[in-house]
Amino acid sequence: MPEKVILSVDALGGDNAPDVVLDGVKAALAEDENLEIILCGPAEVVEPFAAGVARCTAQPTTEFIDMGEHPAEAVRRKKDSSLVVGCRLVKESRAQGFFSAGSTGACLAAATLVIGRIKGVSRPALTTIVPSPVKPVVMCDIGANADCKAEYLLQFAQMATIYMEEILHVKNPRVALLNIGEEETKGSLFAQEAFALLKAQLPNFAGNAEGGDILPANFDIFVTDGFTGNVCLKTIEGTSKTLFKTLKEIFYSSALTKLGALTIKGGLSDLMVKVSPDTYGGAPLLGVKGACIVGHGSSNALAIKNGIHTTAEIVRTDVSGLIEKTVSKP
């Protein structure tokens, strides 16, 4: 029987909140009888919902952090926002993890400033499962740290290794440094320094990787700075959306192509599930105490549900505890 887990959830997180959040919370609770949720948001939203849903408790809040606000300033100023209160519940040990599909910057700021870093972690890193059609691959960092030192990337690789082993059940995953060539001497001075450090201190380091290695899943984990990782991920996601949109237009262009579409409908649906970010529901911020998952702003109810499940699994497998025991101290 899975261990009981209590999570705080931001009812106002996301473009389609609160409706999709409420639907996702209800679905997650229905699928996991050992899950409890503290729902943070306006009293008129969270109290009626919690009253009618088992294992859900309302935590009324009076403020909201908008996507356009400066993240750190908003977190410091709006202490009774649904996002900050959700993180504070983790800090106070009333919840073991937090999920939000709200402002990514505000989530990162609140998790770092309110929940706090794991001792020994220089910079928490935002990690994602890249939607590869071959198999799930992990990329770290994807936006939390635009400017990095080589030692940060070593910690990113160590934390991502733990995440992949515990959540995706891939033992001894092969880690690659995202670079502009496979050779050891390729890239900037920063990339060369990071390569040398990873090679010396990371047993599962497999060398440099190029952008073309990501979708074919030639490695299990791609480690990089947050600026490069974010640009790379957004490029992959944008390409995927454009490709499927174009295919749909082609399939519906004539009676003959519509007939052809029917013959591959099942396979195309399977492919869409594999490459959809909704399948995993969000990106964990590794390196903070407890568990913190940041969902897409455009998350639907399925993504919210899956993001909550992933948050609970990170708590149950004690990813944060393993990181504290494993990361190289700077």
Side-chain angles (χ1 to χ4, degrees):
M1 183 71 69
E3 176 188 350
K4 176 184 173 183
V5 171
I6 302 175
L7 303 179
S8 55
V9 174
D10 177 9
L12 299 182
D15 301 337
N16 303 305
D19 292 345
V20 296
V21 177
L22 301 183
D23 289 343
V25 166
K26 190 172 183 178
L29 288 167
E31 292 180 0
D32 187 346
E33 63 182 12
N34 290 295
L35 176 65
E36 294 185 15
I37 286 178
I38 304 174
L39 192 60
C40 305
E44 63 271 21
V45 172
V46 300
E47 289 182 343
F49 179 82
V53 178
R55 290 176 281 112
C56 183
T57 303
Q59 177 63 58
T61 59
T62 60
E63 295 177 303
F64 167 65
I65 295 179
D66 189 78
M67 291 287 187
E69 296 184 73
H70 186 280
E73 290 179 3
V75 166
R76 292 190 177 97
R77 187 176 70 256
K78 295 185 173 180
K79 298 185 184 302
D80 198 44
S81 62
S82 54
L83 200 156
V84 173
V85 170
C87 287
R88 190 162 63 240
L89 292 173
V90 178
K91 178 179 177 60
E92 296 172 351
S93 298
R94 293 171 57 191
Q96 297 156 286
F98 171 67
F99 174 84
S100 174
S103 163
T104 298
C107 286
L108 299 181
T112 303
L113 296 173
V114 179
I115 299 176
R117 288 178 294 157
I118 294 171
K119 185 178 181 181
V121 172
S122 298
R123 295 288 189 278
L126 202 57
T127 307
T128 192
I129 298 174
V130 178
S132 166
V134 179
K135 64 178 182 179
V137 296
V138 166
M139 186 182 293
C140 180
D141 180 27
I142 60 161
N145 305 278
D147 298 302
C148 289
K149 298 179 180 179
E151 53 264 34
Y152 297 172
L153 266 62
L154 173 60
Q155 288 193 343
F156 296 170
Q158 291 170 327
M159 293 190 294
T161 294
I162 293 170
Y163 176 71
M164 192 161 209
E165 288 185 335
E166 297 300 323
I167 303 303
L168 296 180
H169 311 295
V170 176
K171 295 303 177 185
N172 197 34
R174 298 174 70 239
V175 176
L177 174 66
L178 192 59
N179 208 333
I180 59 172
E182 297 179 358
E183 296 82 5
E184 187 170 339
T185 55
K186 286 287 188 176
S188 62
L189 293 176
F190 164 69
Q192 293 176 40
E193 183 183 356
F195 183 98
L197 190 60
L198 289 163
K199 182 179 180 181
Q201 297 193 34
L202 191 72
N204 53 324
F205 181 58
N208 281 329
E210 298 180 273
D213 290 312
I214 299 172
L215 289 182
N218 293 333
F219 300 90
D220 298 307
I221 296 171
F222 295 84
V223 63
T224 184
D225 62 274
F227 182 90
T228 303
N230 189 271
V231 171
C232 184
L233 180 66
K234 295 296 175 60
T235 301
I236 291 172
E237 291 179 343
T239 301
S240 176
K241 289 179 181 178
T242 302
L243 177 60
F244 279 112
K245 180 181 178 182
T246 303
L247 284 173
K248 185 176 181 180
E249 291 173 352
I250 293 172
F251 287 146
Y252 282 89
S253 63
S254 70
L256 186 60
T257 55
K258 288 179 182 178
L259 182 61
L262 286 174
T263 65
I264 64 170
K265 183 178 180 181
L268 193 60
S269 296
D270 291 342
L271 177 61
M272 290 181 69
V273 170
K274 287 182 180 180
V275 302
S276 173
D278 297 342
T279 301
Y280 300 99
L285 182 63
L286 301 180
V288 295
K289 299 172 183 177
C292 177
I293 297 286
V294 183
H296 281 267
S298 59
S299 291
N300 55 26
L302 174 64
I304 299 292
K305 181 196 75 172
N306 288 337
I308 291 171
H309 284 324
T310 300
T311 310
E313 190 172 2
I314 289 175
V315 171
R316 287 178 173 132
T317 53
D318 192 25
V319 167
S320 294
L322 293 172
I323 286 174
E324 186 170 9
K325 295 175 183 177
T326 303
V327 294
S328 295
K329 306 300 185 288

